[in-house]
Amino acid sequence: MNKILYFLLSGLLLSAASSHSLASDARLENQLILALKIKPDGQDRQAESRPVIRAYQQAAIISKKPQQRADYIDFYLLQKPASFMGHTLILLEEEYMDKYVGCCVSPGLGLVLQVEADTRPLQDFAEKNACTFKPHADVFDTLKTYGIRHKLPKADYASLSCRERDAQK
């Protein structure tokens, strides 16, 4: 009887942990979506990027420090699985200026996804939120350009950029 009770309790704990993880993942994804969405005035994003990056760091999905910083962009390869609109999130990019290094900062976020399903919802999101969507993105070339080591599988990738310059197009 004790073994049965043990297995039942173990199953309940695993189930509770799993549902907490799913709720946590959904909360992170919703934060990311808000930081990518444009306000009705078409000028600014609905949320700042820095709190989103911190939330992903606190969840240990990305490291405390970026794998690379180039110009004004921090690049974060995911250390744990996360999803975005039904696709696997691979890379987060945050563009911001902490000190002047030259011309043309374009604040906002970008991300790279491993395509898992139809990309039409991503394209619609990009159109509605003044973002740039690129299907079949060459993530390997991008990472190589910035000197970022990776172990990504050969797959179909897409990128989504929701920065100031994207809203100006």
Side-chain angles (χ1 to χ4, degrees):
M1 186 67 161
N2 283 342
K3 285 184 181 181
I4 294 172
L5 187 59
Y6 171 78
F7 285 116
L8 285 173
L9 287 174
S10 295
L12 286 172
L13 288 173
L14 283 174
S15 175
S18 174
S19 66
H20 173 71
S21 176
L22 291 175
S24 187
D25 291 348
R27 193 168 37 255
L28 284 171
E29 184 174 352
N30 287 334
Q31 279 184 278
L32 179 56
I33 287 171
L34 281 177
L36 298 172
K37 278 187 170 183
I38 197 90
K39 287 183 179 177
D41 67 8
Q43 296 298 313
D44 297 315
R45 300 291 163 186
Q46 292 185 17
E48 296 290 322
S49 60
R50 181 73 352 206
V52 173
I53 295 297
R54 285 191 189 113
Y56 276 81
Q57 288 170 330
Q58 288 172 349
I61 293 173
I62 60 174
S63 60
K64 297 289 182 191
K65 293 190 178 208
Q67 274 74 25
Q68 185 62 270
R69 177 150 175 91
D71 298 326
Y72 294 111
I73 306 170
D74 287 348
F75 295 90
Y76 297 92
L77 274 171
L78 269 68
Q79 298 174 328
K80 286 184 180 178
S83 65
F84 181 80
M85 296 180 69
H87 303 277
T88 303
L89 187 57
I90 300 295
L91 177 79
L92 282 172
E93 304 169 354
E94 183 188 25
E95 188 166 346
Y96 64 96
M97 179 173 30
D98 57 354
K99 65 180 180 177
Y100 185 75
V101 296
C103 174
C104 310
V105 64
S106 184
L109 289 169
L111 47 93
V112 173
L113 303 162
Q114 183 175 330
V115 175
E116 305 292 343
D118 182 19
T119 60
R120 188 73 221 157
L122 286 169
Q123 293 169 353
D124 292 342
F125 180 90
E127 289 170 16
K128 289 177 188 170
N129 292 288
C131 299
T132 301
F133 175 75
K134 291 183 184 169
H136 315 297
D138 188 350
V139 66
F140 300 105
D141 188 51
T142 301
L143 296 175
K144 182 180 172 186
T145 297
Y146 293 108
I148 301 171
R149 292 181 175 205
H150 62 84
K151 291 183 181 179
L152 298 176
K154 288 198 182 263
D156 188 16
Y157 295 95
S159 69
L160 182 69
S161 175
C162 300
R163 296 177 169 94
E164 194 174 274
R165 82 174 69 81
D166 298 305
Q168 294 171 349
K169 290 182 181 178

